[in-house]
Each structure stands twice: as structure tokens, then as C-alpha cells.
């Protein structure tokens, strides 16, 4: 649950919304078929904040709106150094496995489908990625967010260990 103060701060941010997909879902009963929609949305400020949301409703625009609201509530901070990641990171969610590698300037985002939307929304400019295992959009997005949340830069590591940045490099 997001606090009221945090919710107020989030509303002032310039968040860009990317619709990953809308799926029509059908529930079959004895009497008839019930149709509804499921939507996946990625939101981010392209400067280190990214979140995802899933929404379901009987009509598509309502499902997209719900997904956008949930994405805004699930925002997470991402460490970015010079437009790329500080180090290689791997994560797994369900059957999906994601590998993210830092890349040199001018490489761009080498990713496909929902993974590219997550990386662009977070503000990363140069990343190499590999999606292994399941191609389920839900699990790929969750694995990507998990991998990005585990990334730490040298300043965070030094602060957590209570030592100087020089000691982090020198051991």
C-alpha cells in the first residue's frame, strides 16, 4: 500500500505509459461465454523509475486504465550509470529468465517485446539482454523488474558496507 505522501509525490512526476498488450479472455459456462480484457502497462519517467501493472475488466479501456493505476503504485528505483547498467545481472520469475548486460555508448537497447518496454521506460540507453525460458509477457516483465531492482552501483555498495569507495575498488 502506497502512503498518501508518496502518492502525492508520484502524481507530480512526468510518467510515460507504454501499453505492452491487451488480451481478450473468455470464460465458458454452461449457458454462455463471458468475454473480458486483460492489459499490461509499463510506466516510467525514463530517469531511473519504472513500474508495471496488470488490469482486468469487461472493456479494454477500463482494463488499460486499471493497469496504468497499478503501474504507478509499483514504481521502483533503478541504478543507471552513463545510460547503462553498472554490472551484469540475471533474474528469474516463474519460467522466464532474464540476462541484462551493460553495453558501450551507441549500442542501444538490444531486447525484444516487453523487455524493451521495461528498459526504455527505466531510462537505460545502452543494454544487451537475453530472454531465456518462457516467453510469457507477465513473467518476463516481472523478471526484468526484479533484475533491475537488484542492480547496485558503487556508491550504494560502499554505503551498505560502511566503507569508502576506494576500499570497494581495492578490496
Amino acid at each position: 500500500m502506497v502512503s498518501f505522501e508518496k502518492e502525492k509525490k508520484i502524481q507530480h512526476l512526468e510518467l510515460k505509459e507504454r501499453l505492452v498488450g491487451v488480451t481478450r479472455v473468455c470464460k465458458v459456462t454452461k449457458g454462455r461465454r463471458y468475454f473480458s480484457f486483460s492489459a499490461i502497462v509499463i510506466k516510467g519517467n525514463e530517469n531511473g523509475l519504472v513500474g508495471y501493472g496488470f488490469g482486468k475488466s469487461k472493456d479494454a479501456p477500463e482494463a488499460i486504465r486499471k493497469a496504468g493505476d497499478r503501474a504507478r503504485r509499483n514504481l521502483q528505483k533503478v541504478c543507471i550509470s552513463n545510460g547503462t547498467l553498472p554490472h551484469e545481472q540475471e533474474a528469474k520469475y516463474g519460467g522466464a529468465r532474464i540476462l541484462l548486460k551493460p553495453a558501450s555508448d551507441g549500442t542501444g537497447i538490444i531486447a525484444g517485446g516487453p523487455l524493451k518496454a521495461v528498459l526504455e521506460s527505466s531510462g537505460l540507453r545502452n543494454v544487451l539482454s537475453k530472454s531465456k525460458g518462457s516467453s510469457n509477457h507477465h513473467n518476463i516483465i516481472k523478471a526484468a523488474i526484479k533484475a533491475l531492482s537488484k542492480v547496485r552501483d558503487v556508491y550504494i555498495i560502499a554505503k551498505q558496507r560502511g566503507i569508502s569507495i576506494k576500499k570497494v575498488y581495492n578490496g
Side-chain angles (χ1 to χ4, degrees):
M1 186 89 174
V2 179
S3 69
F4 179 72
E5 291 166 13
K6 188 175 179 185
E7 186 73 30
K8 241 178 151 181
K9 287 179 187 177
I10 290 171
Q11 287 175 349
H12 295 294
L13 293 173
E14 283 281 325
L15 297 175
K16 294 187 180 163
E17 187 173 295
R18 284 188 171 82
L19 179 64
V20 175
V22 179
T23 310
R24 190 175 81 161
V25 185
C26 181
K27 178 184 176 188
V28 180
T29 63
K30 185 176 162 185
R32 63 178 230 173
R33 295 182 186 147
Y34 293 95
F35 292 102
S36 62
F37 293 90
S38 172
I40 308 171
V41 169
I42 305 292
K43 274 196 176 183
N45 68 348
E46 296 181 352
N47 195 19
L49 271 180
V50 68
Y52 67 93
F54 304 119
K56 295 177 184 176
S57 180
K58 289 189 178 182
D59 37 293
E62 182 66 15
I64 294 168
R65 187 194 60 76
K66 284 182 179 180
D69 289 346
R70 290 191 180 116
R72 193 170 30 84
R73 283 187 244 140
N74 288 330
L75 290 175
Q76 292 189 355
K77 189 90 174 115
V78 177
C79 287
I80 300 172
S81 61
N82 300 327
T84 189
L85 297 170
H87 59 85
E88 191 176 304
Q89 189 63 53
E90 203 168 342
K92 182 178 189 237
Y93 190 92
R97 292 188 326 175
I98 301 295
L99 173 66
L100 301 174
K101 284 184 171 184
S104 60
D105 248 358
T107 304
I109 297 177
I110 310 296
L115 185 55
K116 187 167 190 160
V118 172
L119 297 174
E120 285 176 347
S121 295
S122 67
L124 292 164
R125 301 279 173 256
N126 304 296
V127 179
L128 299 170
S129 68
K130 179 71 180 168
S131 177
K132 308 172 193 174
S134 172
S135 60
N136 181 338
H137 288 2
H138 294 264
N139 289 346
I140 287 176
I141 290 169
K142 289 177 183 177
I145 298 286
K146 185 176 176 182
L148 289 173
S149 67
K150 286 199 280 183
V151 172
R152 304 180 300 168
D153 64 354
V154 70
Y155 302 106
I156 293 172
I157 293 169
K159 187 176 178 182
Q160 287 174 343
R161 293 182 186 175
I163 58 175
S164 68
I165 293 169
K166 285 185 178 180
K167 279 195 173 183
V168 173
Y169 284 120
N170 297 333

